Amino acid sequence: MNGWMYRRYGGPEVLEWTSLPDAAPGEGEIAVRVVAASLNPLDWKLREGMFKLFARGVPRGTGYDYAGVVEAAGPGVTRFKPGDAVVGMLDPIRAANGALAERIVAPADHATAKPESVGFEDAASLPGAGIMAVQSLQQAGVRPGQSVLIVGAAGGVGAFAVQLAKIAGARVTAVASGDGLDFLRPFSPERLIDYRREDWKAMPERFDVVFDASGTATFPECRRLLAPGGVAAHALPGAKLFLWSLWQRLTAKERCRPVTERVDLADLQKLVGLAAAGRLRSVVTRIGRPEDVPDIQRAMKAGRNRGKIVVRMAPDSAGA
């Protein structure tokens, strides 16, 4: 079995498509023939060593969202058997292997059954970005009738957040640009803002929740848009945001919520259920091949992507 891995930190050139051990699943694990895997911005940030102080070191695989077919179940696994279609997630910080491989061994408690009504590509797009969106809106306390501003709405996390906030009954204003606006229209936000034509940071409106799904806005930029008692949530937070969150707890009614994603089976099952019911629409905008991975990561770093990019790791005959 082959997969993408890297033995040193650096640009896409450090990625290697190489033979991997055909390991048997251990206690609580499943071996999965990967049909589709999606990419996230965290993939290239890990590859460049941005989190090497607390993430697993090299060598390691890349990618952590997958959908595929169970080949074997390890001791103690009762929810899955060979032949089951599943969608799941590896721990992006601690896992040695990566989802961008033909076969992986993964924790069974980080996976759930893939419904027939959800394709492998759409299923693979759900875990990382979808769970980040779920947990960010939960921590921000989004409720029916609230006004929510989502910055970076055309990315994977943002596109899921727009839909999930709408499902929660909120009124959504989405910030994007260019073709990102067209991509977001089917998700029915109440308002779309092209940041190239309108400075969202200077808007006169105030919001109950401001969610920076892109990880690029500062807390002061978001804070000035908050209504009294409002919450600013931030994906992929840096150290400054954690300091802001501590300060705000002591000094202000507004709150700063740096969101660090955690693998959560209940959140994954919620996303899969919404997708199966047709309430959560696909955000997949490109399906690539395994050999495209270095170029896809290069484009993601440059910000040239909308929604989710998925790589097809196996042909239809492998279980799709």
Side-chain angles (χ1 to χ4, degrees):
M1 296 295 173
N2 294 319
W4 285 104
M5 66 168 293
Y6 51 97
R7 304 175 193 275
R8 57 189 175 90
Y9 299 114
E13 68 278 359
V14 304
L15 290 169
E16 304 174 29
W17 178 252
T18 186
S19 178
L20 301 174
D22 195 11
E27 181 79 26
E29 295 181 328
I30 50 176
V32 179
R33 172 78 66 152
V34 179
V35 177
S38 71
L39 290 89
N40 296 283
L42 183 56
D43 296 330
W44 67 261
K45 294 180 180 183
L46 286 165
R47 189 203 68 228
E48 292 195 351
M50 292 185 182
F51 301 99
K52 62 183 177 182
L53 292 179
F54 58 89
R56 185 185 182 93
V58 292
R60 62 174 295 168
T62 190
Y64 51 95
D65 299 339
Y66 69 88
V69 178
V70 174
E71 287 191 335
V77 176
T78 58
R79 290 193 299 125
F80 304 115
K81 64 183 184 303
D84 287 347
V86 295
V87 52
M89 182 177 178
L90 301 172
D91 186 326
I93 300 300
R94 298 178 179 85
N97 59 340
L100 288 161
E102 294 173 333
R103 180 184 183 273
I104 61 171
V105 171
D109 59 1
H110 294 172
T112 192
K114 185 194 77 66
E116 289 187 10
S117 60
V118 181
F120 280 91
E121 289 89 353
D122 286 333
S125 75
L126 293 171
I131 291 175
M132 173 63 83
V134 167
Q135 293 176 357
S136 297
L137 298 181
Q138 285 176 342
Q139 291 190 36
V142 173
R143 302 186 302 276
Q146 286 190 322
S147 58
V148 177
L149 175 69
I150 299 176
V151 181
V157 175
F160 281 128
V162 169
Q163 297 185 74
L164 291 167
K166 292 280 293 181
I167 290 170
R171 305 186 310 276
V172 177
T173 298
V175 178
S177 71
D179 60 351
L181 302 176
D182 293 332
F183 167 64
L184 289 167
R185 282 192 178 91
F187 306 145
S188 303
E190 276 68 22
R191 183 180 176 191
L192 285 166
I193 294 178
D194 185 342
Y195 67 77
R196 294 180 179 175
R197 298 187 178 186
E198 182 179 354
D199 184 3
W200 65 269
K201 301 170 189 177
M203 291 191 301
E205 294 94 329
R206 295 296 179 265
F207 299 87
D208 298 302
V209 173
V210 175
F211 174 39
D212 172 26
S214 64
T216 58
T218 67
F219 175 67
E221 290 171 340
C222 296
R223 182 185 183 185
R224 70 168 305 277
L225 296 173
L226 290 175
V231 178
H234 299 260
L236 296 175
K240 286 184 179 180
L241 279 168
F242 285 97
L243 293 175
W244 270 115
S245 69
L246 293 173
W247 179 250
Q248 291 302 110
R249 289 180 192 177
L250 299 173
T251 64
K253 292 182 179 180
E254 295 81 12
R255 292 289 181 260
C256 175
R257 292 284 188 271
V259 182
T260 53
E261 181 177 13
R262 66 189 185 283
V263 183
D264 189 280
L265 180 59
D267 289 340
L268 177 59
Q269 290 174 331
K270 174 182 178 178
L271 291 162
V272 172
L274 289 170
R279 300 183 66 195
L280 193 67
R281 299 181 59 167
S282 174
V283 302
V284 175
T285 56
R286 176 183 172 186
I287 298 174
R289 303 164 298 175
E291 57 265 36
D292 298 330
V293 167
D295 286 339
I296 292 173
Q297 287 198 358
R298 189 175 289 111
M300 291 186 78
K301 181 179 180 180
R304 299 193 302 270
N305 61 284
R306 297 285 181 261
K308 289 287 295 180
I309 301 174
V310 175
V311 172
R312 184 78 181 198
M313 300 301 301
D316 290 349
S317 59

